[in-house]
Amino acid sequence: MSAATAAAIAALRPTEPFPLPSDLSLARRLKLLLTFSRADLSVSPVDEWQLKSALLAFLRNPPLSLSLLQDSDLSVSRLPDLQKRRREDPVASGVLYVRDLSFLNRKGGDEAEAMTREQEEEKYSQWRSSLVEKLAGIELNLKGVVYQMSVEIPASDDFKAMKKSWEDFYASELYSIRNPVRKIAKRPDTILVRGVPSRWFAETRISSKASTLVTHTIFSALGKIRTLNISNDDELGASKDETNKGLISGLNCKVWVQFESYDDFHDAMKALCGRSLEKEGSRLKVDYEVTWDSEGFFRNAQYEPAQTKLEERDAPVHGRKKHYTSRIESDHRKRFRD
């Protein structure tokens, strides 16, 4: 990663977007997962619209006063097979996005002094914890039917929690009995981003499918890349999980990005966590999922990568091309010699 890129990510404020190539940007927002359970002995059907309306009214009025919250920032859906659930089991789930964080850059009052980046980060952390605490356990009374709500922050949106997860993972691997001889401390270098529109990573007016060249250019703004892989994200689109609602199968892709160094990986994760992908001229806000690769995707891949447009661009121009020998061709030559 260049010094300028590292400095830009380090200086990124909670309220500032991070610009990316292809007119894309990363905008900060808070994502909360909601779970609703019955707080009484009622067995009446769950009315999603009434539940959402009651919760929106609660959020927009004091003491929370999230007046700029849009209807589209909250989704609620009842869980399937309610008749088969035990009385204490959840009956509905939802997702809440808080996108307006402009209050973070002021100390108080309309003409207050601007805050530093460190002060904004601290204020955001305290406000997020306070909001979760206020929302946890609230009860919504819908015409005599009472629902109790629980709240949690997704693991993929909490950078500190995610960093601790990979540190704990590799610490346990270091002392694992499966590796009694070579106890070498390892650190991750690969991220996985899911649920991004393929057309935003495609070559304009050429294809609607994600391009390796365009995708490489976009993620290069976050660090120096060693290799990447793109595939359709049909599994996420077909999921019934409320957090993925609205994603259409075949239109989204998932991207594995392996960085040259741990520092590049670390800063890329920090920039991607807790943000949405936006494109200039589009109203769509893409709330992708990001995590670190604990499965060793590139290490365990059982295929020979095809020559990509990046490799074609970097190939010598004096009439010579790089030659890629596949595993099948190699085995055939060995058998022919035998």
CSV table of all heavy atoms in Angstrom, one decimal, residues 32-38 51 55 75-77 79 85 88-96 135-138 140 147-152 242:
chain,number,residue,atom,x,y,z
A,32,LEU,N,-27.9,-2.9,12.7
A,32,LEU,CA,-28.3,-3.6,13.9
A,32,LEU,C,-29.3,-4.7,13.4
A,32,LEU,O,-30.2,-4.5,12.6
A,32,LEU,CB,-29.1,-2.7,14.9
A,32,LEU,CG,-28.2,-1.6,15.4
A,32,LEU,CD1,-29.1,-0.7,16.3
A,32,LEU,CD2,-27.0,-2.1,16.2
A,33,LEU,N,-29.1,-5.9,14.0
A,33,LEU,CA,-30.0,-7.1,13.8
A,33,LEU,C,-31.0,-7.1,14.9
A,33,LEU,O,-30.6,-7.1,16.1
A,33,LEU,CB,-29.1,-8.4,13.7
A,33,LEU,CG,-28.0,-8.4,12.7
A,33,LEU,CD1,-27.4,-9.8,12.7
A,33,LEU,CD2,-28.6,-8.1,11.3
A,34,LEU,N,-32.3,-7.2,14.6
A,34,LEU,CA,-33.3,-7.2,15.5
A,34,LEU,C,-34.0,-8.6,15.6
A,34,LEU,O,-34.2,-9.2,14.6
A,34,LEU,CB,-34.4,-6.1,15.2
A,34,LEU,CG,-33.8,-4.7,14.8
A,34,LEU,CD1,-35.0,-3.8,14.3
A,34,LEU,CD2,-33.0,-4.1,15.9
A,35,THR,N,-34.4,-8.9,16.8
A,35,THR,CA,-35.2,-10.2,17.0
A,35,THR,C,-36.4,-9.9,17.9
A,35,THR,O,-36.2,-9.2,19.0
A,35,THR,CB,-34.3,-11.3,17.7
A,35,THR,OG1,-33.1,-11.5,16.9
A,35,THR,CG2,-35.0,-12.6,17.8
A,36,PHE,N,-37.6,-10.3,17.5
A,36,PHE,CA,-38.8,-10.1,18.3
A,36,PHE,C,-39.3,-11.4,18.8
A,36,PHE,O,-39.5,-12.4,18.1
A,36,PHE,CB,-39.8,-9.4,17.3
A,36,PHE,CG,-39.4,-8.1,16.7
A,36,PHE,CD1,-38.7,-8.1,15.5
A,36,PHE,CD2,-39.6,-6.9,17.4
A,36,PHE,CE1,-38.3,-6.9,14.9
A,36,PHE,CE2,-39.2,-5.7,16.8
A,36,PHE,CZ,-38.5,-5.7,15.6
A,37,SER,N,-39.7,-11.3,20.1
A,37,SER,CA,-40.3,-12.5,20.8
A,37,SER,C,-41.6,-12.0,21.5
A,37,SER,O,-41.7,-10.8,21.8
A,37,SER,CB,-39.3,-13.1,21.8
A,37,SER,OG,-38.1,-13.5,21.2
A,38,ARG,N,-42.5,-12.9,21.7
A,38,ARG,CA,-43.7,-12.5,22.4
A,38,ARG,C,-43.5,-12.3,23.9
A,38,ARG,O,-42.8,-13.1,24.5
A,38,ARG,CB,-44.8,-13.6,22.2
A,38,ARG,CG,-45.2,-13.8,20.8
A,38,ARG,CD,-46.4,-14.7,20.7
A,38,ARG,NE,-46.8,-15.1,19.3
A,38,ARG,CZ,-47.5,-14.3,18.5
A,38,ARG,NH1,-48.0,-13.2,18.9
A,38,ARG,NH2,-47.7,-14.7,17.3
A,51,LEU,N,-45.9,-3.9,13.3
A,51,LEU,CA,-44.7,-4.0,14.1
A,51,LEU,C,-43.6,-3.0,13.6
A,51,LEU,O,-43.0,-2.3,14.4
A,51,LEU,CB,-44.1,-5.4,14.0
A,51,LEU,CG,-43.0,-5.8,15.0
A,51,LEU,CD1,-43.5,-5.6,16.4
A,51,LEU,CD2,-42.6,-7.3,14.7
A,55,LEU,N,-42.3,0.4,15.7
A,55,LEU,CA,-40.9,0.6,16.0
A,55,LEU,C,-40.4,1.9,15.4
A,55,LEU,O,-39.6,2.6,16.0
A,55,LEU,CB,-40.1,-0.6,15.4
A,55,LEU,CG,-38.6,-0.6,15.7
A,55,LEU,CD1,-38.3,-0.4,17.2
A,55,LEU,CD2,-38.0,-1.9,15.2
A,75,SER,N,-36.4,-3.0,8.1
A,75,SER,CA,-37.2,-4.1,7.5
A,75,SER,C,-37.5,-5.1,8.6
A,75,SER,O,-36.7,-5.3,9.5
A,75,SER,CB,-36.4,-4.8,6.4
A,75,SER,OG,-35.2,-5.3,6.9
A,76,VAL,N,-38.8,-5.6,8.6
A,76,VAL,CA,-39.3,-6.5,9.6
A,76,VAL,C,-40.0,-7.6,8.8
A,76,VAL,O,-40.8,-7.4,7.9
A,76,VAL,CB,-40.2,-5.9,10.6
A,76,VAL,CG1,-40.8,-6.9,11.5
A,76,VAL,CG2,-39.5,-4.8,11.4
A,77,SER,N,-39.7,-8.9,9.2
A,77,SER,CA,-40.4,-10.0,8.6
A,77,SER,C,-40.6,-11.1,9.6
A,77,SER,O,-39.8,-11.3,10.5
A,77,SER,CB,-39.6,-10.6,7.4
A,77,SER,OG,-38.4,-11.1,7.9
A,79,LEU,N,-41.0,-14.8,11.1
A,79,LEU,CA,-40.3,-16.1,10.9
A,79,LEU,C,-41.2,-17.2,10.4
A,79,LEU,O,-42.4,-17.2,10.8
A,79,LEU,CB,-39.5,-16.5,12.1
A,79,LEU,CG,-38.4,-15.5,12.6
A,79,LEU,CD1,-37.8,-15.9,13.9
A,79,LEU,CD2,-37.4,-15.3,11.5
A,85,ARG,N,-43.1,-23.3,16.7
A,85,ARG,CA,-42.2,-22.8,17.6
A,85,ARG,C,-42.7,-22.8,19.0
A,85,ARG,O,-43.8,-22.8,19.3
A,85,ARG,CB,-41.8,-21.3,17.2
A,85,ARG,CG,-41.2,-21.2,15.8
A,85,ARG,CD,-40.9,-19.7,15.5
A,85,ARG,NE,-40.2,-19.6,14.2
A,85,ARG,CZ,-38.9,-19.7,14.1
A,85,ARG,NH1,-38.1,-19.7,15.2
A,85,ARG,NH2,-38.3,-19.6,12.9
A,88,GLU,N,-41.3,-19.3,23.8
A,88,GLU,CA,-40.2,-18.4,24.1
A,88,GLU,C,-39.3,-18.2,22.9
A,88,GLU,O,-38.4,-17.3,22.9
A,88,GLU,CB,-39.3,-18.9,25.2
A,88,GLU,CG,-38.6,-20.3,24.9
A,88,GLU,CD,-39.4,-21.5,25.3
A,88,GLU,OE1,-40.7,-21.3,25.5
A,88,GLU,OE2,-38.9,-22.6,25.5
A,89,ASP,N,-39.6,-18.9,21.7
A,89,ASP,CA,-38.8,-18.7,20.5
A,89,ASP,C,-39.2,-17.4,19.8
A,89,ASP,O,-40.3,-16.9,19.9
A,89,ASP,CB,-39.0,-19.8,19.6
A,89,ASP,CG,-38.3,-21.1,20.1
A,89,ASP,OD1,-37.5,-21.0,21.0
A,89,ASP,OD2,-38.7,-22.2,19.5
A,90,PRO,N,-38.2,-16.8,19.1
A,90,PRO,CA,-38.5,-15.6,18.3
A,90,PRO,C,-39.6,-15.8,17.3
A,90,PRO,O,-39.7,-16.9,16.7
A,90,PRO,CB,-37.2,-15.2,17.7
A,90,PRO,CG,-36.2,-15.9,18.4
A,90,PRO,CD,-36.8,-17.2,18.9
A,91,VAL,N,-40.4,-14.7,17.0
A,91,VAL,CA,-41.5,-14.8,16.0
A,91,VAL,C,-41.2,-13.9,14.8
A,91,VAL,O,-41.9,-14.1,13.8
A,91,VAL,CB,-42.8,-14.5,16.6
A,91,VAL,CG1,-43.2,-15.5,17.7
A,91,VAL,CG2,-42.8,-13.1,17.2
A,92,ALA,N,-40.3,-13.0,14.9
A,92,ALA,CA,-40.0,-12.1,13.8
A,92,ALA,C,-38.5,-11.6,13.9
A,92,ALA,O,-37.9,-11.7,15.0
A,92,ALA,CB,-40.9,-10.9,13.8
A,93,SER,N,-38.0,-11.2,12.8
A,93,SER,CA,-36.6,-10.6,12.8
A,93,SER,C,-36.6,-9.3,11.9
A,93,SER,O,-37.6,-9.1,11.2
A,93,SER,CB,-35.6,-11.6,12.2
A,93,SER,OG,-35.9,-11.9,10.9
A,94,GLY,N,-35.6,-8.6,12.1
A,94,GLY,CA,-35.5,-7.3,11.3
A,94,GLY,C,-34.1,-6.8,11.2
A,94,GLY,O,-33.1,-7.3,11.9
A,95,VAL,N,-33.9,-5.8,10.4
A,95,VAL,CA,-32.6,-5.1,10.2
A,95,VAL,C,-32.8,-3.6,10.3
A,95,VAL,O,-33.8,-3.1,9.6
A,95,VAL,CB,-31.9,-5.5,8.9
A,95,VAL,CG1,-30.5,-4.8,8.8
A,95,VAL,CG2,-31.8,-7.0,8.8
A,96,LEU,N,-32.0,-2.9,11.1
A,96,LEU,CA,-32.1,-1.5,11.2
A,96,LEU,C,-30.8,-0.8,10.7
A,96,LEU,O,-29.7,-1.3,11.2
A,96,LEU,CB,-32.4,-1.0,12.6
A,96,LEU,CG,-32.3,0.5,12.9
A,96,LEU,CD1,-33.4,1.2,12.2
A,96,LEU,CD2,-32.5,0.7,14.4
A,135,LEU,N,-32.2,0.2,23.1
A,135,LEU,CA,-33.1,-0.7,22.2
A,135,LEU,C,-33.3,-2.1,22.8
A,135,LEU,O,-34.3,-2.7,22.6
A,135,LEU,CB,-32.6,-0.7,20.8
A,135,LEU,CG,-32.6,0.5,20.0
A,135,LEU,CD1,-32.0,0.3,18.6
A,135,LEU,CD2,-34.1,1.0,19.8
A,136,ALA,N,-32.3,-2.6,23.5
A,136,ALA,CA,-32.4,-3.9,24.0
A,136,ALA,C,-33.5,-4.1,25.0
A,136,ALA,O,-33.5,-3.4,26.0
A,136,ALA,CB,-31.0,-4.4,24.6
A,137,GLY,N,-34.4,-5.0,24.8
A,137,GLY,CA,-35.4,-5.3,25.8
A,137,GLY,C,-36.6,-4.4,25.7
A,137,GLY,O,-37.5,-4.6,26.6
A,138,ILE,N,-36.7,-3.5,24.8
A,138,ILE,CA,-37.9,-2.7,24.7
A,138,ILE,C,-39.1,-3.5,24.3
A,138,ILE,O,-39.0,-4.5,23.7
A,138,ILE,CB,-37.8,-1.5,23.7
A,138,ILE,CG1,-37.7,-2.0,22.3
A,138,ILE,CG2,-36.6,-0.7,24.0
A,138,ILE,CD1,-37.9,-0.9,21.2
A,140,LEU,N,-43.0,-3.5,22.6
A,140,LEU,CA,-44.0,-2.8,21.7
A,140,LEU,C,-45.3,-3.4,21.9
A,140,LEU,O,-45.5,-4.6,21.7
A,140,LEU,CB,-43.5,-2.9,20.3
A,140,LEU,CG,-42.1,-2.4,19.9
A,140,LEU,CD1,-41.7,-2.7,18.5
A,140,LEU,CD2,-42.1,-0.9,20.1
A,147,TYR,N,-44.7,-7.4,22.2
A,147,TYR,CA,-43.5,-8.0,21.6
A,147,TYR,C,-42.3,-7.4,22.3
A,147,TYR,O,-42.2,-6.2,22.6
A,147,TYR,CB,-43.3,-7.7,20.1
A,147,TYR,CG,-44.4,-8.4,19.3
A,147,TYR,CD1,-45.6,-7.6,19.0
A,147,TYR,CD2,-44.3,-9.7,18.9
A,147,TYR,CE1,-46.6,-8.2,18.2
A,147,TYR,CE2,-45.3,-10.3,18.1
A,147,TYR,CZ,-46.5,-9.5,17.8
A,147,TYR,OH,-47.5,-10.1,17.0
A,148,GLN,N,-41.3,-8.2,22.6
A,148,GLN,CA,-40.1,-7.8,23.2
A,148,GLN,C,-38.9,-7.9,22.2
A,148,GLN,O,-38.9,-8.9,21.5
A,148,GLN,CB,-39.7,-8.6,24.5
A,148,GLN,CG,-38.5,-8.0,25.2
A,148,GLN,CD,-38.3,-8.8,26.5
A,148,GLN,OE1,-38.1,-10.0,26.5
A,148,GLN,NE2,-38.3,-8.1,27.6
A,149,MET,N,-38.1,-6.9,22.1
A,149,MET,CA,-37.0,-6.8,21.1
A,149,MET,C,-35.6,-7.0,21.7
A,149,MET,O,-35.3,-6.4,22.7
A,149,MET,CB,-37.2,-5.5,20.3
A,149,MET,CG,-36.2,-5.5,19.1
A,149,MET,SD,-36.5,-3.9,18.1
A,149,MET,CE,-35.6,-2.8,19.2
A,150,SER,N,-34.8,-7.8,21.0
A,150,SER,CA,-33.4,-7.8,21.3
A,150,SER,C,-32.6,-7.3,20.2
A,150,SER,O,-33.0,-7.4,19.0
A,150,SER,CB,-33.0,-9.3,21.7
A,150,SER,OG,-33.2,-10.2,20.6
A,151,VAL,N,-31.4,-6.8,20.4
A,151,VAL,CA,-30.6,-6.2,19.4
A,151,VAL,C,-29.1,-6.7,19.5
A,151,VAL,O,-28.6,-6.9,20.6
A,151,VAL,CB,-30.6,-4.6,19.6
A,151,VAL,CG1,-29.8,-3.9,18.5
A,151,VAL,CG2,-32.0,-4.1,19.7
A,152,GLU,N,-28.5,-6.8,18.3
A,152,GLU,CA,-27.1,-7.1,18.3
A,152,GLU,C,-26.5,-6.5,17.1
A,152,GLU,O,-27.1,-6.2,16.1
A,152,GLU,CB,-26.9,-8.7,18.3
A,152,GLU,CG,-27.4,-9.4,17.0
A,152,GLU,CD,-27.0,-10.8,17.0
A,152,GLU,OE1,-25.9,-11.2,17.5
A,152,GLU,OE2,-27.8,-11.6,16.5
A,242,GLU,N,-33.1,-12.6,6.8
A,242,GLU,CA,-33.6,-11.2,6.7
A,242,GLU,C,-32.5,-10.2,6.3
A,242,GLU,O,-32.7,-9.2,5.6
A,242,GLU,CB,-34.3,-10.8,8.0
A,242,GLU,CG,-34.8,-9.3,7.9
A,242,GLU,CD,-35.8,-9.1,6.9
A,242,GLU,OE1,-36.5,-10.0,6.5
A,242,GLU,OE2,-36.0,-7.9,6.5
